[in-house]
Amino acid sequence: MKTIDYIIVGQGLAGSILAYTLMHQQQKVVVVDEGKENTSSKVAAGLCNPVVFKRLTKSWMVDELMPVALNFYKHQEELLNDQFYVDIPIYKLFVGEEERDFWQQKRNEPELLEWITHTIEFPFEKNLIDYPFGASYTLQSGFLQTAKWLAAFKAYLKNKGVFIENKFDYNTIVFDNNFVCWNGYKAKKIIFCEGYQSINNPYFNWLPFKLTKGEVLTIDFKNLTLKSALNKGVFVLPYNNYYKLGATYDWDNLNEETTEKGKIELLKKASAFIKDEITVFEHKAGIRPTISDRRPLLGIHPKHEQLAVFNGLGTKGVMIAPYFAKVFTEFLIANKPISKEVDINRFVD
Ligand SMILES: Cc1cc2nc3c(=O)[nH]c(=O)nc-3n(C[C@H](O)[C@H](O)[C@H](O)COP(=O)(O)OP(=O)(O)OC[C@H]3O[C@@H](n4cnc5c(N)ncnc54)[C@H](O)[C@@H]3O)c2cc1C
């Protein structure tokens, strides 16, 4: 039996970022993942947007989350000697005078100053993009090439001999006093980072997941070339030599199948402002691990202290995960409290 500190189930954004954060604090981990293709993390566009366009407010905890996230991905680029994170402005194309004026009114709010610009601009060719009310853009935004980073990080774990490609079977957990044994390992805890698949976990299926399916297309244009991301009901993001167009939100059909309906919806919304021929190269779907109160899930099982969960990254995993992986690590190794807002105890009577 090999003694380690933590067994992590899931190598999506949650499991990978938590694993590295623990390893960075000299903790011994083993990561188990079944290698599914259409996971939320692999399908995601990876955008890190500091504002909520609908209300034009700062994204939740952005001042705390963003610096930790940027630092984490920069560190990964140095560690794995490749580029994963790309800085890019996101242009909000205004749908009408009202939205444009609202953005203008917000110019006086000091808390938004470092996240958005206030001038109304017309930087795109008007024959290719229809945006009569102009556009303004976000500052300090970017995107993580999630699939690329996850593949590189998986190779890093394999190289260290701490990655197991397998479906985790809950029946094989053996509780041993304060420890837990699984597959020849004895650990302090098993930390479940299973994304939406937590709904099948007999220990954590009581958590109030309110899952959201999302579809995204990889497209190209005949004439249009973009160096920044656009948002007008959907986002268009320059991604390697193509563009990502997304995303849909579906709370009812919770499966990883792509649909004609999703594709048509995205293309219809894009064609409403992009006056160019669009070719679709790829179509993917995934299920976001969203929670009823839209906050992450961190904590220890109320009855089994050897079982923990790190989940609920919702629609913003790229920005949220590094900060809360740090919070959870500090809790696990130094017993630093987790705030009530994200602790799973908020759902325990
Ligand atoms: C279409 C779409 C677009 C998105 N766009 C963005 C975006 O632009 N920006 C952003 O920040 N977020 C975006 N998201 C959300 C983002 O993907 C999630 O917040 C995040 O990736 C969730 O990561 P996770 O690790 O919790 O879950 P997952 O990615 O689902 O990872 C869970 C992992 O656990 C493994 N697993 C589960 N159960 C087991 C088991 N029993 N045994 C072994 N392995 C197991 C799975 O194989 C998987 O690898 C998007 C999501 C979708 C679907």
Side-chain angles (χ1 to χ4, degrees), residues 15-27:
S16 302
I17 294 172
L18 181 62
Y20 186 76
T21 309
L22 284 164
M23 289 162 90
H24 201 57
Q25 295 299 322
Q26 287 72 48
Q27 302 298 296

Side-chain angles (χ1 to χ4, degrees), residues 46-76:
L47 271 168
C48 221
N49 182 355
V51 292
V52 181
F53 282 140
K54 221 174 181 179
R55 289 171 272 131
L56 198 53
T57 52
K58 282 198 297 189
S59 185
W60 177 65
M61 284 185 68
V62 65
D63 299 296
E64 292 86 359
L65 304 180
M66 196 67 108
V68 180
L70 295 182
N71 195 40
F72 183 89
Y73 301 125
K74 191 166 159 248
H75 181 77
Q76 289 300 308

Side-chain angles (χ1 to χ4, degrees), residues 23-42:
M23 289 162 90
H24 201 57
Q25 295 299 322
Q26 287 72 48
Q27 302 298 296
K28 287 191 187 130
V29 307
V30 155
V31 180
V32 191
D33 192 286
E34 65 178 315
K36 253 164 76 90
E37 266 321 304
N38 289 335
T39 64
S40 186
S41 299
K42 287 178 188 164

Side-chain angles (χ1 to χ4, degrees), residues 9-16 32-36 39-48 146 150 166-170 193-198 212-216 235 247-248 284-289 310-319:
V9 181
Q11 197 245 321
L13 287 178
S16 302
V32 191
D33 192 286
E34 65 178 315
K36 253 164 76 90
T39 64
S40 186
S41 299
K42 287 178 188 164
V43 167
L47 271 168
C48 221
T146 52
L150 289 170
N166 221 332
K167 187 168 176 68
F168 186 90
D169 178 356
Y170 310 106
C193 307
E194 302 169 285
Y196 88 92
Q197 286 174 270
S198 249
T212 330
K213 175 177 176 176
E215 298 187 46
V216 65
F235 65 77
T248 59
K284 292 199 166 180
I287 302 178
R288 304 172 182 92
F310 182 47
N311 205 321
L313 298 182
T315 58
K316 297 210 164 192
V318 173
M319 194 158 79

Side-chain angles (χ1 to χ4, degrees), residues 7-22 65 72-73 190-196 198 201 204 207 209 289 291 295-301 307-314 316-329 332 338 342-344:
I7 295 163
I8 294 180
V9 181
Q11 197 245 321
L13 287 178
S16 302
I17 294 172
L18 181 62
Y20 186 76
T21 309
L22 284 164
L65 304 180
F72 183 89
Y73 301 125
I190 299 177
I191 308 174
F192 291 102
C193 307
E194 302 169 285
Y196 88 92
S198 249
N201 183 324
F204 289 107
L207 288 165
F209 285 94
I291 307 302
R295 294 289 174 257
L297 295 171
L298 282 67
I300 308 293
H301 191 276
L307 304 182
V309 65
F310 182 47
N311 205 321
L313 298 182
K316 297 210 164 192
V318 173
M319 194 158 79
I320 287 175
Y323 178 90
F324 284 104
K326 199 163 167 264
V327 167
F328 206 20
T329 297
L332 291 167
I338 300 171
V342 299
D343 193 323
I344 58 165

Side-chain angles (χ1 to χ4, degrees), residues 147-158:
K148 183 180 174 186
W149 176 65
L150 289 170
F153 188 67
K154 180 174 172 174
Y156 171 84
L157 293 173
K158 275 188 168 171

